[in-house]
Short mmCIF file of all heavy atoms in Angstrom, two decimals:
data_model
loop_
_atom_site.label_atom_id
_atom_site.label_comp_id
_atom_site.label_asym_id
_atom_site.label_seq_id
_atom_site.Cartn_x
_atom_site.Cartn_y
_atom_site.Cartn_z
N LEU A 390 -12.06 -22.54 -149.77
CA LEU A 390 -12.37 -21.15 -149.43
C LEU A 390 -13.21 -20.47 -150.51
O LEU A 390 -13.18 -20.84 -151.68
CB LEU A 390 -11.08 -20.37 -149.23
CG LEU A 390 -10.11 -20.90 -148.17
CD1 LEU A 390 -8.94 -19.93 -148.00
CD2 LEU A 390 -10.80 -21.15 -146.84
N ASP A 391 -13.93 -19.44 -150.10
CA ASP A 391 -14.70 -18.63 -151.04
C ASP A 391 -13.75 -17.72 -151.81
O ASP A 391 -12.59 -17.54 -151.44
CB ASP A 391 -15.73 -17.81 -150.29
CG ASP A 391 -15.09 -16.86 -149.28
OD1 ASP A 391 -14.66 -15.76 -149.68
OD2 ASP A 391 -14.98 -17.24 -148.09
N PRO A 392 -14.23 -17.12 -152.90
CA PRO A 392 -13.34 -16.29 -153.74
C PRO A 392 -12.68 -15.13 -153.00
O PRO A 392 -11.52 -14.81 -153.26
CB PRO A 392 -14.28 -15.79 -154.85
CG PRO A 392 -15.33 -16.84 -154.94
CD PRO A 392 -15.55 -17.32 -153.54
N ILE A 393 -13.39 -14.50 -152.06
CA ILE A 393 -12.80 -13.37 -151.34
C ILE A 393 -11.66 -13.84 -150.45
O ILE A 393 -10.57 -13.24 -150.43
CB ILE A 393 -13.88 -12.63 -150.52
CG1 ILE A 393 -14.88 -11.96 -151.45
CG2 ILE A 393 -13.23 -11.60 -149.59
CD1 ILE A 393 -16.05 -11.31 -150.74
N SER A 394 -11.87 -14.94 -149.71
CA SER A 394 -10.81 -15.48 -148.86
C SER A 394 -9.64 -15.97 -149.70
O SER A 394 -8.48 -15.78 -149.33
CB SER A 394 -11.36 -16.62 -148.00
OG SER A 394 -12.34 -16.16 -147.09
N THR A 395 -9.94 -16.58 -150.83
CA THR A 395 -8.88 -17.04 -151.73
C THR A 395 -8.03 -15.87 -152.19
O THR A 395 -6.79 -15.94 -152.20
CB THR A 395 -9.49 -17.76 -152.95
OG1 THR A 395 -10.14 -18.95 -152.51
CG2 THR A 395 -8.42 -18.12 -153.97
N SER A 396 -8.69 -14.78 -152.56
CA SER A 396 -7.96 -13.59 -153.01
C SER A 396 -7.06 -13.04 -151.91
O SER A 396 -5.93 -12.62 -152.18
CB SER A 396 -8.96 -12.52 -153.46
OG SER A 396 -8.31 -11.34 -153.83
N LYS A 397 -7.52 -13.08 -150.67
CA LYS A 397 -6.72 -12.57 -149.56
C LYS A 397 -5.49 -13.44 -149.32
O LYS A 397 -4.39 -12.93 -149.05
CB LYS A 397 -7.56 -12.47 -148.29
CG LYS A 397 -8.60 -11.35 -148.34
CD LYS A 397 -9.40 -11.28 -147.06
CE LYS A 397 -10.39 -10.11 -147.09
NZ LYS A 397 -11.20 -10.03 -145.85
N VAL A 398 -5.66 -14.76 -149.41
CA VAL A 398 -4.52 -15.65 -149.24
C VAL A 398 -3.50 -15.42 -150.36
O VAL A 398 -2.29 -15.32 -150.11
CB VAL A 398 -4.97 -17.13 -149.22
CG1 VAL A 398 -3.76 -18.07 -149.26
CG2 VAL A 398 -5.79 -17.42 -147.97
N GLU A 399 -3.98 -15.32 -151.59
CA GLU A 399 -3.07 -15.09 -152.72
C GLU A 399 -2.35 -13.76 -152.58
O GLU A 399 -1.15 -13.66 -152.87
CB GLU A 399 -3.85 -15.15 -154.03
CG GLU A 399 -4.37 -16.54 -154.38
CD GLU A 399 -5.18 -16.57 -155.67
OE1 GLU A 399 -5.30 -15.50 -156.31
OE2 GLU A 399 -5.71 -17.64 -156.01
N ALA A 400 -3.05 -12.74 -152.12
CA ALA A 400 -2.41 -11.44 -151.91
C ALA A 400 -1.33 -11.52 -150.84
O ALA A 400 -0.26 -10.91 -150.96
CB ALA A 400 -3.46 -10.40 -151.54
N SER A 401 -1.60 -12.31 -149.80
CA SER A 401 -0.60 -12.49 -148.74
C SER A 401 0.66 -13.13 -149.30
O SER A 401 1.78 -12.73 -148.96
CB SER A 401 -1.18 -13.36 -147.62
OG SER A 401 -2.28 -12.74 -147.00
N LEU A 402 0.49 -14.13 -150.15
CA LEU A 402 1.65 -14.81 -150.73
C LEU A 402 2.48 -13.85 -151.57
O LEU A 402 3.72 -13.90 -151.54
CB LEU A 402 1.19 -16.01 -151.57
CG LEU A 402 0.43 -17.10 -150.82
CD1 LEU A 402 0.07 -18.25 -151.77
CD2 LEU A 402 1.23 -17.64 -149.64
N GLN A 403 1.82 -12.99 -152.31
CA GLN A 403 2.56 -12.02 -153.11
C GLN A 403 3.34 -11.05 -152.23
O GLN A 403 4.43 -10.61 -152.58
CB GLN A 403 1.60 -11.24 -154.02
CG GLN A 403 0.91 -12.08 -155.09
CD GLN A 403 1.87 -12.63 -156.13
OE1 GLN A 403 2.99 -12.13 -156.30
NE2 GLN A 403 1.46 -13.66 -156.84
N GLU A 404 2.78 -10.73 -151.06
CA GLU A 404 3.44 -9.81 -150.14
C GLU A 404 4.69 -10.43 -149.51
O GLU A 404 5.70 -9.76 -149.32
CB GLU A 404 2.47 -9.38 -149.04
CG GLU A 404 1.41 -8.39 -149.50
CD GLU A 404 1.99 -7.03 -149.84
OE1 GLU A 404 2.95 -6.60 -149.17
OE2 GLU A 404 1.49 -6.40 -150.78
N ILE A 405 4.61 -11.71 -149.17
CA ILE A 405 5.69 -12.32 -148.39
C ILE A 405 6.76 -13.00 -149.24
O ILE A 405 7.81 -13.38 -148.72
CB ILE A 405 5.15 -13.34 -147.36
CG1 ILE A 405 4.52 -14.55 -148.06
CG2 ILE A 405 4.16 -12.67 -146.42
CD1 ILE A 405 4.07 -15.65 -147.11
N LYS A 406 6.55 -13.13 -150.53
CA LYS A 406 7.49 -13.89 -151.35
C LYS A 406 8.86 -13.24 -151.44
O LYS A 406 9.83 -13.92 -151.79
CB LYS A 406 6.92 -14.14 -152.75
CG LYS A 406 6.88 -12.90 -153.64
CD LYS A 406 6.32 -13.26 -155.01
CE LYS A 406 6.34 -12.06 -155.95
NZ LYS A 406 5.77 -12.41 -157.28
N ASN A 407 8.95 -11.96 -151.13
CA ASN A 407 10.26 -11.31 -151.15
C ASN A 407 11.15 -11.76 -150.00
O ASN A 407 12.36 -11.53 -150.02
CB ASN A 407 10.09 -9.79 -151.12
CG ASN A 407 9.48 -9.25 -152.39
OD1 ASN A 407 9.70 -9.79 -153.47
ND2 ASN A 407 8.69 -8.20 -152.26
N ASN A 408 10.54 -12.38 -149.00
CA ASN A 408 11.29 -12.82 -147.82
C ASN A 408 11.30 -14.33 -147.64
O ASN A 408 12.07 -14.85 -146.82
CB ASN A 408 10.71 -12.18 -146.56
CG ASN A 408 10.83 -10.67 -146.57
OD1 ASN A 408 11.89 -10.12 -146.84
ND2 ASN A 408 9.73 -9.98 -146.32
N TYR A 409 10.45 -15.04 -148.37
CA TYR A 409 10.33 -16.48 -148.19
C TYR A 409 10.30 -17.17 -149.56
O TYR A 409 9.87 -16.59 -150.56
CB TYR A 409 9.03 -16.85 -147.45
CG TYR A 409 8.92 -16.25 -146.07
CD1 TYR A 409 8.32 -15.00 -145.88
CD2 TYR A 409 9.42 -16.92 -144.95
CE1 TYR A 409 8.22 -14.43 -144.62
CE2 TYR A 409 9.31 -16.36 -143.69
CZ TYR A 409 8.72 -15.13 -143.53
OH TYR A 409 8.61 -14.57 -142.27
N THR A 410 10.75 -18.42 -149.56
CA THR A 410 10.58 -19.26 -150.74
C THR A 410 9.27 -20.01 -150.58
O THR A 410 9.05 -20.68 -149.57
CB THR A 410 11.75 -20.26 -150.86
OG1 THR A 410 12.97 -19.52 -151.00
CG2 THR A 410 11.56 -21.18 -152.06
N ILE A 411 8.39 -19.91 -151.56
CA ILE A 411 7.05 -20.49 -151.47
C ILE A 411 6.90 -21.54 -152.56
O ILE A 411 7.20 -21.30 -153.73
CB ILE A 411 5.97 -19.40 -151.63
CG1 ILE A 411 6.11 -18.36 -150.49
CG2 ILE A 411 4.58 -20.01 -151.64
CD1 ILE A 411 5.27 -17.12 -150.70
N VAL A 412 6.42 -22.72 -152.16
CA VAL A 412 6.12 -23.79 -153.11
C VAL A 412 4.65 -24.16 -152.92
O VAL A 412 4.24 -24.53 -151.82
CB VAL A 412 7.01 -25.02 -152.92
CG1 VAL A 412 6.78 -26.01 -154.07
CG2 VAL A 412 8.47 -24.64 -152.83
N LEU A 413 3.88 -24.04 -153.97
CA LEU A 413 2.42 -24.15 -153.88
C LEU A 413 1.89 -25.21 -154.84
O LEU A 413 2.24 -25.22 -156.02
CB LEU A 413 1.80 -22.79 -154.23
CG LEU A 413 0.29 -22.72 -154.46
CD1 LEU A 413 -0.45 -22.89 -153.15
CD2 LEU A 413 -0.09 -21.39 -155.12
N VAL A 414 1.03 -26.09 -154.31
CA VAL A 414 0.18 -26.93 -155.16
C VAL A 414 -1.17 -26.23 -155.20
O VAL A 414 -1.86 -26.15 -154.18
CB VAL A 414 0.04 -28.35 -154.60
CG1 VAL A 414 -1.00 -29.14 -155.41
CG2 VAL A 414 1.37 -29.09 -154.64
N PRO A 415 -1.57 -25.65 -156.34
CA PRO A 415 -2.79 -24.85 -156.41
C PRO A 415 -4.02 -25.75 -156.56
O PRO A 415 -3.92 -26.94 -156.88
CB PRO A 415 -2.57 -24.02 -157.68
CG PRO A 415 -1.78 -24.94 -158.56
CD PRO A 415 -0.87 -25.72 -157.65
N HIS A 416 -5.19 -25.15 -156.33
CA HIS A 416 -6.41 -25.95 -156.49
C HIS A 416 -6.99 -25.83 -157.89
O HIS A 416 -7.96 -26.52 -158.21
CB HIS A 416 -7.45 -25.56 -155.43
CG HIS A 416 -8.17 -24.27 -155.71
ND1 HIS A 416 -7.76 -23.06 -155.20
CD2 HIS A 416 -9.28 -23.99 -156.45
CE1 HIS A 416 -8.58 -22.11 -155.61
NE2 HIS A 416 -9.50 -22.64 -156.37
N SER A 417 -6.40 -24.98 -158.72
CA SER A 417 -6.89 -24.84 -160.09
C SER A 417 -5.79 -24.30 -160.98
O SER A 417 -4.83 -23.68 -160.51
CB SER A 417 -8.11 -23.90 -160.15
OG SER A 417 -7.71 -22.57 -159.84
N VAL A 418 -5.95 -24.51 -162.29
CA VAL A 418 -5.01 -23.95 -163.26
C VAL A 418 -5.07 -22.42 -163.21
O VAL A 418 -4.05 -21.74 -163.34
CB VAL A 418 -5.35 -24.44 -164.68
CG1 VAL A 418 -4.46 -23.76 -165.71
CG2 VAL A 418 -5.17 -25.95 -164.77
N GLN A 419 -6.27 -21.88 -162.99
CA GLN A 419 -6.43 -20.43 -162.95
C GLN A 419 -5.62 -19.83 -161.81
O GLN A 419 -4.96 -18.80 -161.97
CB GLN A 419 -7.91 -20.07 -162.81
CG GLN A 419 -8.76 -20.39 -164.03
CD GLN A 419 -9.11 -21.88 -164.16
OE1 GLN A 419 -8.97 -22.64 -163.19
NE2 GLN A 419 -9.56 -22.27 -165.33
N GLN A 420 -5.65 -20.48 -160.65
CA GLN A 420 -4.86 -19.98 -159.52
C GLN A 420 -3.37 -20.07 -159.84
O GLN A 420 -2.61 -19.14 -159.55
CB GLN A 420 -5.17 -20.77 -158.25
CG GLN A 420 -4.37 -20.27 -157.05
CD GLN A 420 -4.74 -20.99 -155.77
OE1 GLN A 420 -4.56 -22.19 -155.65
NE2 GLN A 420 -5.27 -20.23 -154.81
N ALA A 421 -2.97 -21.19 -160.42
CA ALA A 421 -1.56 -21.34 -160.78
C ALA A 421 -1.11 -20.21 -161.69
O ALA A 421 -0.04 -19.62 -161.49
CB ALA A 421 -1.35 -22.70 -161.45
N ALA A 422 -1.92 -19.88 -162.68
CA ALA A 422 -1.55 -18.82 -163.62
C ALA A 422 -1.48 -17.46 -162.94
O ALA A 422 -0.66 -16.61 -163.32
CB ALA A 422 -2.54 -18.79 -164.78
N ARG A 423 -2.33 -17.25 -161.93
CA ARG A 423 -2.35 -15.95 -161.24
C ARG A 423 -1.11 -15.73 -160.39
O ARG A 423 -0.60 -14.61 -160.30
CB ARG A 423 -3.58 -15.84 -160.34
CG ARG A 423 -4.89 -15.62 -161.06
CD ARG A 423 -5.97 -15.16 -160.10
NE ARG A 423 -6.26 -16.12 -159.04
CZ ARG A 423 -7.18 -17.08 -159.10
NH1 ARG A 423 -7.90 -17.21 -160.21
NH2 ARG A 423 -7.39 -17.90 -158.09
N VAL A 424 -0.61 -16.77 -159.74
CA VAL A 424 0.41 -16.55 -158.70
C VAL A 424 1.81 -17.01 -159.08
O VAL A 424 2.78 -16.62 -158.43
CB VAL A 424 0.00 -17.24 -157.38
CG1 VAL A 424 -1.38 -16.77 -156.93
CG2 VAL A 424 0.04 -18.77 -157.49
N ALA A 425 1.96 -17.84 -160.10
CA ALA A 425 3.24 -18.51 -160.34
C ALA A 425 4.31 -17.58 -160.90
O ALA A 425 4.13 -16.98 -161.95
CB ALA A 425 3.05 -19.69 -161.28
N ASP A 426 5.43 -17.49 -160.18
CA ASP A 426 6.64 -16.93 -160.77
C ASP A 426 7.35 -18.00 -161.58
O ASP A 426 7.97 -17.72 -162.62
CB ASP A 426 7.58 -16.42 -159.67
CG ASP A 426 6.98 -15.28 -158.88
OD1 ASP A 426 6.49 -14.32 -159.51
OD2 ASP A 426 6.97 -15.35 -157.63
N HIS A 427 7.28 -19.24 -161.09
CA HIS A 427 7.84 -20.40 -161.77
C HIS A 427 6.81 -21.52 -161.66
O HIS A 427 6.11 -21.63 -160.65
CB HIS A 427 9.17 -20.83 -161.15
CG HIS A 427 10.21 -19.76 -161.20
ND1 HIS A 427 11.10 -19.63 -162.24
CD2 HIS A 427 10.49 -18.74 -160.35
CE1 HIS A 427 11.88 -18.59 -162.03
NE2 HIS A 427 11.53 -18.03 -160.89
N ALA A 428 6.73 -22.36 -162.69
CA ALA A 428 5.72 -23.41 -162.71
C ALA A 428 6.31 -24.70 -163.24
O ALA A 428 7.19 -24.69 -164.11
CB ALA A 428 4.52 -22.99 -163.57
N ALA A 429 5.81 -25.82 -162.70
CA ALA A 429 6.23 -27.15 -163.15
C ALA A 429 4.99 -28.01 -163.33
O ALA A 429 4.13 -28.08 -162.44
CB ALA A 429 7.17 -27.78 -162.13
N PHE A 430 4.89 -28.65 -164.48
CA PHE A 430 3.73 -29.47 -164.82
C PHE A 430 4.09 -30.94 -164.65
O PHE A 430 5.06 -31.43 -165.23
CB PHE A 430 3.29 -29.19 -166.26
CG PHE A 430 2.20 -30.10 -166.75
CD1 PHE A 430 0.98 -30.17 -166.08
CD2 PHE A 430 2.39 -30.89 -167.87
CE1 PHE A 430 -0.03 -31.02 -166.54
CE2 PHE A 430 1.39 -31.72 -168.34
CZ PHE A 430 0.18 -31.79 -167.66
#
Side-chain angles (χ1 to χ4, degrees):
L390 303 186
D391 61 83
I393 293 175
S394 295
T395 295
S396 177
K397 289 181 177 179
V398 172
E399 291 178 3
S401 297
L402 298 181
Q403 295 294 341
E404 286 291 325
I405 66 175
K406 72 179 183 181
N407 292 327
N408 297 311
Y409 300 91
T410 299
I411 299 169
V412 188
L413 169 72
V414 173
H416 77 266
S417 68
V418 175
Q419 291 77 16
Q420 181 176 63
R423 286 195 299 269
V424 304
D426 296 310
H427 300 269
F430 174 58

